[in-house]
Structure formats: C-alpha cells, structure tokens
Amino acid sequence: MIIVMKNIAEKFRAVFFFGLILAAMAYGCVELMKIQIVDGDKYVEMAHSTTLGTQVINSPRGEIVDIDGNAIVSNKVGFNVIVEKAFFPSDNKEMNRIILETAELLKESNTDWIDTLPISKAKPYEFLDSRDSDIKKLRENIGVQIYATAGECIDAMVAKYDISDDYTDEEKRIVAGIRYEMFIRNFSVANRYTFAQDIPMDAVVRLKEASYDMDGIDVIEEAIRVYEQGDVIPHLIGTVGPIDAEEYEKYKSEGYALNDVIGKSGIEKAMEQYLRGKKGTRTIGFLNGTVVSDEITEEAVPGNTVQLTINIDYQRKVQKILENHIEWLQNQNSSLAKGTEANAGAIVVLDVKTGAVLAAATSPTYNLNDYITNYSAVLNGENSPLTNRATSGLYRPGSTFKTVTATGALNEGVISPSTTVTCTGVYTYWEDYQPKCTGYHGTINVVTALEKSCNIFFYETGRRMGIDMIAEYASRYGLGSTTGLETGGAAGWIATPDSFAERKLEWQAGNVVQAAIGQSETYVTPIQMAVIAETIANKGVRYQPHLVDSIHTYNMEQLVKKTQPVIAERIEDKTGYTFDTVIKGMIQAANFTPYSYPTEKNYYTDYLLTKLDGQAAIKTGTPQMTSSEDTGSSFIGFYPVDDPQIAFSGFIEHGEYSKLMIKQLIDAYYNENYTVSDTTPQMYKTDLSTILSDTTVTPAVTTVSVPPVTTASTTETNLETSILE
Ligand SMILES: [Zn+2]
C-alpha cells in the first residue's frame, strides 16, 4: 500500500509542480506588467540595474492515513478558475461582461462558481437562513440602511457595480454575487481571485477556447482535498477552508496569505502545522523590464502525512455495530421493549497500553463528501449528525460510575473487600429521603455489589466517603476535564457543591448518594468513560488518549515524529487490592447472566461474554437522560483481563441493552474477517417479544440494575430491565 501511495504522490507532485510553473510564469508576466505600466516612471530611473521580484510557491497539503497507511484524506490535482487583477479590465462594463461570460461558460458544464452572498439566487430575493452576521456585513459593505431588504441590497449592488439594465434579473444577480465576492476576498494585484474550484475538463476546454476575449481569466492547476473515506470518523478528520480574517491576523506572521487554505476543524486543524507544508520562493530578475533570471530560490515542501491510530476497517465495523443496535431497538414492536426511542449513541475503543484511539463511532454520522457538497442537509439532519458524541456528547455515566466510587472507597480504607452492606431494596439512612434499589440483594460485599449493580451498597459507601472523596477519584480518573485528545472534546462536570453552585443548582445531602451511583449532575463523554476502563485495566495508570500515531514526510519515506504514550495520572494502589477488587466485580458483571437457564439459547450466545476465548471485565449502566423515566444505556470494560489489550465504552440515548454490542466489538477487533453486516447476532434477528415470551427463559428478577430513583416515589422493578441489565 505504501508503494502505491508513493507512486501516486510522485505523480501528483510532478503534475502539481508543472502546474505551478505555469502559474508562476503567468505571475511573472503580472510582475512585468506592473513594472512596465504601473511603476513605469520609477523603473526608468533604474533602467540599468537589475530588479529582483519574488513570488510564493504553494505546497500541497499533507495526507491523512490510517494505521496501515490507507488514505482517508488525500489530494488530487484540480482545475481552478482564477482572475488576475493586472490583466483584468478596470472598466465596470467590461468587467461585468467577462464575469457574466465566465459564469455562463461554467453553467454550460453544470459547474458552480463561488458565491457566498447571503441572498437567494432568484426573485423574489430573500436573505438566507442562519447568515445574520453576513447579512449585517453586506449592508455595511454596500452602504444600505440596516433594515434594507434583500431586493434593496441587490438594487444597491446593481447601482454600485454599474451593472447594465440590459441584463436580465438572473444575470444581474450573478454579476452582483461575484463582484461582491471579489470585494470580500480582497481581490487585488497581489491577491488573485478564485472564481471556481475543481471544474470539470469540458469547462477547462470551454474557458481556454474563449480566453482570447476574457482578459484576466485563467485556469490553473491546484491541489484539492479528496475525502477517500468520507464516512470514516468525519467529525474527527474535520475540514479545510479559506483562511478567515481572524485566522489571518493570528497566523500571518507564520507566512499565511489571504487566499490560503487552512484546517478548520478536527485533525485538519489540530495538525495544521504538519499538514500545511512549507511554501517555496521563486525569484525573478528584471533588467530594463526584461526577465534576465528566473530561479526557484527555495523549493516548496509538501505537507507531512499524518498517520492515525485507527484502522479503517475496524472503525467501520464498530460504527456498524452501533447503527445495527440502534436500528434493532427502533424496530422492536414488543410493548415490553423500552428502546424504541433510541436514536443516537457512541462507542469508543482504546488501546489499553498506549491510550491510542482504535475506534470512535458516533451515530448519527455523515460523510465528509456530503458535508462539502450538501452542507445544509448534513447540518439539518435528524438528531444532529454534526455532534461528535464520542468525544463531545455529555451523558450521565449511570452505574458505570460505581467503579470510580468503589476505587476511592477501597483505596482510602472506607470499605474493604469484606465490608458488607445489607440491601433491603430501600435506603433508610434518612427519614425524609429514601431512594430505592432495583431489587433485594441482601447482605453483599463490593464485588457482588458491582456484579449486581446494587444501588444501596453504593449509596451507603458514597455517603461514608463524602462528596470530596468521590469527586477526587472522579477527577483522578479524568472526569471534569478534557482528555487531551488532539482534536479536543468536552470536559463535562462532576457533581459537587461547587459545580452545583456554578450552575445555580441547590446542593442537598442526598446528592452525594446519587453522585456515588453516577446520577445527580455528573456529565461525562464516552471517551472519558473509555479512559476510566483503560485506567482500571492498567491498575491506576491513566494514559491520555491520542488519535495521531505518527507524522511522516509526504511520500511516507521518512518518519518525522512518533507519538509517545503520555501518562496523565497514576492512581497509586494504596491497599494492594484496590484495582484487583474492582476488576473482580467487573469480571463477575461480565459473566453474570440473569437467566436460570439456558445460556446456550442461540439468540443469546452471540453476545454472551462467557463465550469469548478470554475473560472480559465490564460494568453497565442505565443513566437518566431527561428524567428518571427517560433513560439511556451505557457500558465500560476491557479485554482480556489477564493481559488487557482494549478498553471500551458505549452509550445509547433513550435505548437499552447496549451491553449486546460488547462481544461484537471484541470479536471484530480480534478477527479481521468478522463482518458485522453478515454476522448480525441472532439476537438482532429475533424480535424481543419472541424472546420475552420464551418460557424456557426465566429472568432472575432480583439481580438487576434499573434507573435510579431520585425521589421517594418508586420505580417498580420491571421485566424489561431485568432481562439484560
Ligand atoms: Zn440492592
């Protein structure tokens, strides 16, 4: 694969630089014109000395590849239509004619040109939605009053740009849009204007043929971003775009020009310094207005290739596992099914030993190619596909947080592995606030409490710890702050009296016990929860997650930089048994099956964690979404226990049974032939009502975790939550 890429890269470079030379020659003529015409008098005096002019040579942007070197984002050579001010007429009438003819030639090839005017393309003119700041600027720029309508703005532009009354309304709108675009892009001799990008070959031919009559219009070759795998972590890959005024001010000292392209989000932004490459310099010498020397005094260096930690195939499989699960929930027609409202979720898989992100699925998602070509459809897609739930989606952790509470309580000596609490189904410490458990777990220790997700055990443990200790351990596991991932993410909150005060909420004694079971006002991202699983697997060593494996030269011949794992925190195991005890509880949670028999039913074997070759450790949760009735489903875990390789977390909004995805994501990781669509677990082929009506399966009602109760009123233990949680 690397060899293939290299060839493409070389081919690309050859074509690209050839294109640049042509562009440079055109520019040389511009300089010449400038010297002869604009600065004529000045140069007469210097007639006998050589003048040197320099010109910037752009470099292609680096590529983004997966861990195996397969391209996710690459470049191609495309044709752009540009306008050179030095050759472009200064007379309005002639200017407008050339603009209109160019647009019409492009139209014949069904090609768009750049027009970001916030006004509809046809009468009756209307301002475009969500463009308020652009509309305000437009009114300022063309000098109309602040309440001017879209039609009045067009009229003002027609007058301002001296657009002939002989033009049709459509033609007037075309010319006005382009003239305005030229204005906001600061079109000048030093700053050529990009009229259209990536035009098809037939448009190139049409424009070349007509060029004798269109001074200033030129077609040049430039590098264009290609999203080869636009569906692979689009949120994290991000996009590029023209540098804006603010970015220009910030980066101009680093050599950016007004017409440069810059990373706008994701890896494209985070790795900008590597991806952008280094511009070259061409120096042209003139004597008496004649070119006497011409050399590239500094070669342009293409941007570096950024190699990510993810594998395209595994990423796609994890995405599919997530989508399958949501789809299955939505299609349940059993009245007992709670997940038909499921509509979104996320899964994150990390390398336990380094913190490398192995997969980061977010649903709903989108394709970067659609983002570029049909942005409004992506923007307005159902359930906000642009939200990167994996790293920025904030959820209550639910019972997965009990691992944090258990770590702190064991490590600080608040409990020992043999400490027991008796669960009678109700927490009776306070008279006026008695939250409930989901069943009657009897007298149990921390391992059993983790296995069965007993709320009473953790209410009592949390109360004895106090909120400061709970918050300290949450924070040491990385909650409440961003993970350090290159592309950023949400920090979330930990429920404490301080964070309540900040958010103008009233802190009550009962909040401490709700915080201990992951409810209250603690909010986490899926990647933060995967980091918790990773830290438990490492017995207290928390690696900062990272998405960039390494940086290479453009053709991947040379390694520039390799990401070294960063330890963000070490939670010392003060007792010698803290993490082993938590892990034991998580093993029992993985092996726990709520059915008296049989465990071999074909629709369960596909997801039973006891069917794995190795031992998994997990914890599930049922976090509240908007209310105690509206819950989601979460899990964290790692695999295999004896030598942990992968740590993971998952969330399903308004759905349940997220645990069903765990075995699949492990199987997909270890078996590259595992194809998610073909091997959809039997469970997913079976309607829930069939399973629930199967009398050979007896749910064990007393060993379940349900949505926590935040008031004294009860939520009855119900069949559907007892099935799998
Ligand atoms: Zn209990």
Side-chain angles (χ1 to χ4, degrees):
M1 186 56 210
I2 287 170
I3 291 164
V4 175
M5 281 187 51
K6 206 174 127 185
N7 288 341
I8 290 168
E10 276 167 3
K11 197 170 169 188
F12 172 79
R13 288 173 72 181
V15 177
F16 185 74
F17 287 119
F18 178 67
L20 279 177
I21 289 164
L22 291 178
M25 285 165 75
Y27 194 85
C29 294
V30 175
E31 285 293 307
L32 195 63
M33 292 279 293
K34 193 180 163 207
I35 290 162
Q36 286 179 327
I37 300 160
V38 187
D39 303 324
D41 292 342
K42 192 171 126 202
Y43 284 91
V44 170
E45 292 167 23
M46 298 169 62
H48 298 292
S49 59
T50 303
T51 313
L52 294 179
T54 59
Q55 184 213 343
V56 166
I57 304 173
N58 282 327
S59 53
R61 196 171 173 82
E63 302 191 336
I64 302 173
V65 303
D66 83 345
I67 194 69
D68 295 328
N70 297 310
I72 300 173
V73 182
S74 64
N75 298 305
K76 68 170 182 183
V77 179
F79 294 98
N80 290 352
V81 182
I82 56 145
V83 189
E84 294 278 13
K85 180 88 170 176
F87 300 108
F88 200 54
S90 52
D91 165 60
N92 271 326
K93 192 179 165 211
E94 193 55 7
M95 220 188 271
N96 295 341
R97 176 189 69 80
I98 293 174
I99 286 173
L100 186 61
E101 274 182 29
T102 306
E104 274 170 355
L105 284 170
L106 289 170
K107 217 154 97 186
E108 282 173 33
S109 307
N110 291 316
T111 304
D112 287 332
W113 53 90
I114 297 170
D115 178 339
T116 62
L117 192 70
I119 295 179
S120 58
K121 296 270 159 67
K123 270 190 166 177
Y125 297 118
E126 279 168 11
F127 288 122
L128 303 181
D129 289 344
S130 353
R131 299 281 303 275
D132 291 351
S133 66
D134 294 332
I135 294 164
K136 185 168 171 268
K137 259 206 191 107
L138 169 68
R139 287 173 174 144
E140 274 170 33
N141 286 336
I142 60 174
V144 297
Q145 47 107 343
I146 55 169
Y147 298 110
T149 63
E152 285 162 354
C153 289
I154 294 288
D155 290 344
M157 283 188 280
V158 167
K160 184 180 170 74
Y161 300 131
D162 202 6
I163 301 171
S164 168
D165 264 347
D166 298 342
Y167 286 12
T168 65
D169 288 335
E170 192 197 348
E171 289 167 345
K172 284 177 184 167
R173 168 66 186 80
I174 290 171
V175 175
I178 296 167
R179 290 291 300 268
Y180 183 69
E181 194 75 33
M182 289 173 135
F183 170 76
I184 59 171
R185 299 280 168 204
N186 198 16
F187 177 49
S188 60
V189 171
N191 198 12
R192 71 184 185 209
Y193 176 70
T194 303
F195 196 108
Q197 283 174 309
D198 196 19
I199 64 167
M201 193 49 80
D202 64 317
V204 175
V205 173
R206 279 197 178 93
L207 282 161
K208 291 276 185 198
E209 279 172 357
S211 62
Y212 69 91
D213 198 23
M214 305 218 292
D215 292 343
I217 300 287
D218 202 358
V219 179
I220 61 161
E221 291 168 22
E222 276 192 330
I224 290 167
R225 230 47 184 148
V226 181
Y227 299 98
E228 300 202 20
Q229 315 287 341
D231 61 330
V232 172
I233 54 167
H235 305 85
L236 294 169
I237 295 294
T239 55
V240 296
I243 196 164
D244 64 31
E246 206 175 298
E247 289 162 338
Y248 176 67
E249 277 308 310
K250 196 172 161 192
Y251 296 114
K252 65 180 175 188
S253 62
E254 292 171 32
Y256 282 87
L258 260 171
N259 54 0
D260 273 356
V261 158
I262 191 168
K264 293 285 181 180
S265 59
I267 285 291
E268 292 275 22
K269 184 179 181 185
M271 294 293 117
E272 172 69 19
Q273 59 165 318
Y274 297 107
L275 289 165
R276 67 178 291 214
K278 199 164 168 291
K279 290 177 182 177
T281 310
R282 181 186 193 89
T283 306
I284 303 164
F286 299 93
L287 182 63
N288 293 340
T290 308
V291 175
V292 291
S293 65
D294 178 1
E295 59 174 331
I296 292 173
T297 35
E298 196 179 355
E299 290 271 7
V301 181
N304 289 323
T305 295
V306 172
Q307 185 160 34
L308 302 182
T309 53
I310 65 146
N311 167 291
I312 290 172
D313 288 340
Y314 184 58
Q315 169 63 31
R316 280 221 176 90
K317 285 174 189 172
V318 172
Q319 182 72 35
K320 181 79 179 141
I321 289 165
L322 178 63
E323 311 270 355
N324 275 355
H325 188 79
I326 293 170
E327 196 187 320
W328 175 72
L329 287 171
Q330 287 171 342
N331 291 325
Q332 291 306 318
N333 40 30
S334 162
S335 62
L336 293 171
K338 245 183 33 171
T340 51
E341 302 298 311
N343 55 15
I347 296 176
V348 174
V349 185
L350 300 176
D351 182 326
V352 168
K353 293 182 160 63
T354 63
V357 177
L358 301 172
T362 285
S363 178
T365 185
Y366 59 95
N367 188 307
L368 275 170
N369 291 303
D370 297 330
Y371 183 96
I372 305 301
T373 58
N374 197 0
Y375 177 73
S376 70
V378 175
L379 175 70
N380 301 317
E382 218 179 320
N383 300 317
S384 28
L386 287 178
T387 303
N388 185 4
R389 287 169 164 85
T391 62
S392 298
L394 286 171
Y395 304 96
R396 291 189 175 97
S399 294
T400 57
F401 188 86
K402 287 171 180 166
T403 56
V404 177
T405 305
T407 308
L410 287 161
N411 218 30
E412 299 300 328
V414 173
I415 59 167
S416 79
S418 56
T419 302
T420 57
V421 170
T422 301
C423 167
T424 60
V426 185
Y427 187 59
T428 56
Y429 182 81
W430 291 292
E431 269 186 14
D432 56 345
Y433 175 64
Q434 301 200 330
K436 308 221 165 189
C437 198
T438 57
Y440 305 88
H441 295 119
T443 301
I444 55 173
N445 62 18
V446 65
V447 169
T448 310
L450 283 169
E451 173 193 333
K452 299 185 174 175
S453 205
C454 175
N455 287 346
I456 306 298
F457 185 94
F458 285 99
Y459 287 149
E460 177 59 15
T461 301
R463 189 194 58 77
R464 291 187 203 171
M465 291 169 80
I467 196 62
D468 290 351
M469 192 189 289
I470 295 171
E472 183 202 330
Y473 274 83
S475 162
R476 295 187 71 186
Y477 268 119
L479 301 187
S481 49
T482 53
T483 60
L485 189 73
E486 297 91 331
T487 48
W493 300 277
I494 301 168
T496 61
D498 285 350
S499 74
F500 267 56
E502 268 171 41
R503 302 175 68 206
K504 301 204 174 4
L505 297 168
E506 194 190 342
W507 181 264
Q508 294 172 328
N511 288 117
V512 69
V513 301
Q514 290 301 335
I517 64 157
Q519 302 290 358
S520 189
E521 295 300 306
T522 293
Y523 285 90
V524 302
T525 62
I527 193 169
Q528 284 177 325
M529 291 311 287
V531 167
I532 290 181
E534 171 220 280
T535 310
I536 296 169
N538 286 321
K539 300 190 179 181
V541 178
R542 168 157 71 90
Y543 286 107
Q544 178 177 303
H546 64 272
L547 194 55
V548 175
D549 172 81
S550 47
I551 309 283
H552 304 260
T553 51
Y554 191 84
N555 50 20
M556 284 198 83
E557 261 175 7
Q558 224 179 317
L559 178 70
V560 174
K561 189 183 166 202
K562 171 89 180 165
T563 304
Q564 297 303 321
V566 173
I567 294 175
E569 175 73 44
R570 279 175 201 273
I571 304 173
E572 185 204 348
D573 191 331
K574 293 182 187 175
T575 62
Y577 56 65
T578 298
F579 288 102
D580 286 344
T581 307
V582 174
I583 291 168
K584 200 171 166 193
M586 292 173 75
I587 291 171
Q588 289 191 197
N591 296 347
F592 169 65
T593 167
Y595 311 103
S596 52
Y597 98 96
T599 56
E600 299 296 335
K601 271 305 230 195
N602 65 355
Y603 35 72
Y604 304 129
T605 52
D606 280 335
Y607 75 87
L608 281 176
L609 295 170
T610 49
K611 297 292 168 191
L612 289 162
D613 292 338
Q615 177 65 55
I618 69 155
K619 183 72 198 81
T620 57
T622 312
Q624 292 177 21
M625 300 288 299
T626 54
S627 69
S628 58
E629 300 300 310
D630 175 20
T631 55
S633 175
S634 62
F635 65 81
I636 63 168
F638 60 90
Y639 180 87
V641 166
D642 54 5
D643 181 19
Q645 305 291 323
I646 59 171
F648 40 79
S649 84
F651 279 78
I652 296 287
E653 295 178 20
H654 316 290
E656 54 187 341
Y657 311 141
S658 63
K659 177 183 173 180
L660 292 183
M661 300 188 288
I662 299 175
K663 183 169 182 287
Q664 300 176 68
L665 68 87
I666 294 172
D667 283 341
Y669 183 75
Y670 285 96
N671 175 9
E672 63 180 55
N673 297 321
Y674 184 90
T675 49
V676 179
S677 47
D678 293 342
T679 57
T680 299
Q682 186 61 38
M683 177 83 187
Y684 285 170
K685 296 175 193 160
T686 313
D687 192 88
L688 191 61
S689 55
T690 311
I691 297 165
L692 294 175
S693 63
D694 187 338
T695 53
T696 62
V697 178
T698 311
V701 249
T702 56
T703 51
V704 297
S705 112
V706 301
V709 182
T710 50
T711 66
S713 70
T714 67
T715 296
E716 293 302 322
T717 301
N718 43 30
L719 185 61
E720 64 267 32
T721 48
S722 65
I723 286 291
L724 295 164
E725 286 290 333

